[in-house]
Amino acid sequence: MNNILTISNFTIREAISRKIIVAFFAISTFVTIMFALLFTFVSFNDFSISAQSNGHDMVGVTKELLSKLKGFVIWPLFKGGLFLSIFSAASFIPSMLEKGNIDLILSKPIARWQIILGKFLGGVLIVLVNIAYLVVFLWILIGIKFGVWEPSLLYSIFTITFAFASLYSLIILIGILTQSSILAMMLSYLIFFVLSPILQARDTISIFLKNQIIQKVMEILYYIIPQTSELSDITTDLAMSSKIYDFQPFLTSLVFLILVLYFSIIIFSKKDY
C-alpha cells in the first residue's frame, strides 16, 4: 500500500509542477466568484414577494427557487467538471512512459500493478479535491443566500468523481497502449459527449430505426461502456431530491472500471520498456 501511495503522491506533485492543479483551482475560483456576484447583485426577494402576493407561502417559494437553482447549477457542473478532469489527467500515463521517467520508476522496488494503481489513485484524488473545492464553495454561497443548508448538492462531489474514475481507467489503458494523451482524450470525450447520450436514448432511436442488428449492438454497448449520461441524471436527482432511483449505471460503470484497470495492469506488466 505504501508503494501505491508513493506513486499517488508523485502524480499529485507532477500535477502541481505542471500547473494542472493551479489551472483547475483558478477555473473553479472564477466560477465561484461569478456565482458570488450573481447572488450579491440579484435579489431573489422580488421573486418571493411576487409569489407571496399570489398566495404562496414563503417556505414553499424558497424551496421551489432553491430547487430550480440547483437544477441550473448541477448540469454545467457535471459537464464542465468532467470535461476539465479528463483534460487535466490525460497526460499522466504518456508522461510517465517517456524515456527517462519510466526508467527511473522501474528502477525502484515497486511492482508494476502498484504503479498503475498509484497513478489511478493519484488522478482520482486530484479530481476529488478540485471538484470538492468548487462544490463546497457553491454550497456555502447557496446556504448563505437562502439560509438552507441541505447536503444534497454535496453528493455531486462523489458522483462526478466516480464518473471521472470510470473514464480515467480508459485513459490509462489508451495511454499504455499508444502513449498518446490526445487519443485518450478523444475516446473519453467520444463516450462522454456522443456515445453515452445516444445509448441512453436507444429505446427512442429504435422506434425510428428498425434494423435489429444495430438495435442489438446499441443494447450491448449500453451495458459495456460507462453510462456517464445516466450518472449525470443521478447527480441531478441527488441534488434535487437526495434520492437514487436506479443503481444500475453505477454497477455497469464500476465493472467497466475494474476490468479496464485489470487489462491495463496486465498489458503494462508484459511490456518491455
Side-chain angles (χ1 to χ4, degrees), residues 28 57 150 234:
S28 299
D57 66 284
E150 294 176 350
I234 288 174

Side-chain angles (χ1 to χ4, degrees), residues 134-185:
L134 174 59
V135 173
V136 168
F137 268 94
L138 288 177
W139 179 71
I140 291 173
L141 287 174
I142 292 174
I144 292 173
K145 184 66 180 179
F146 294 95
V148 178
W149 298 93
E150 294 176 350
S152 56
L153 187 64
L154 299 177
Y155 300 150
S156 61
I157 296 171
F158 304 103
T159 54
I160 295 173
T161 304
F162 176 76
F164 163 76
S166 65
L167 291 175
Y168 185 44
S169 63
L170 178 65
I171 290 173
I172 289 176
L173 177 62
I174 300 302
I176 292 171
L177 289 173
T178 67
Q179 298 187 28
S180 169
S181 58
I182 300 295
L183 183 59
M185 268 195 300

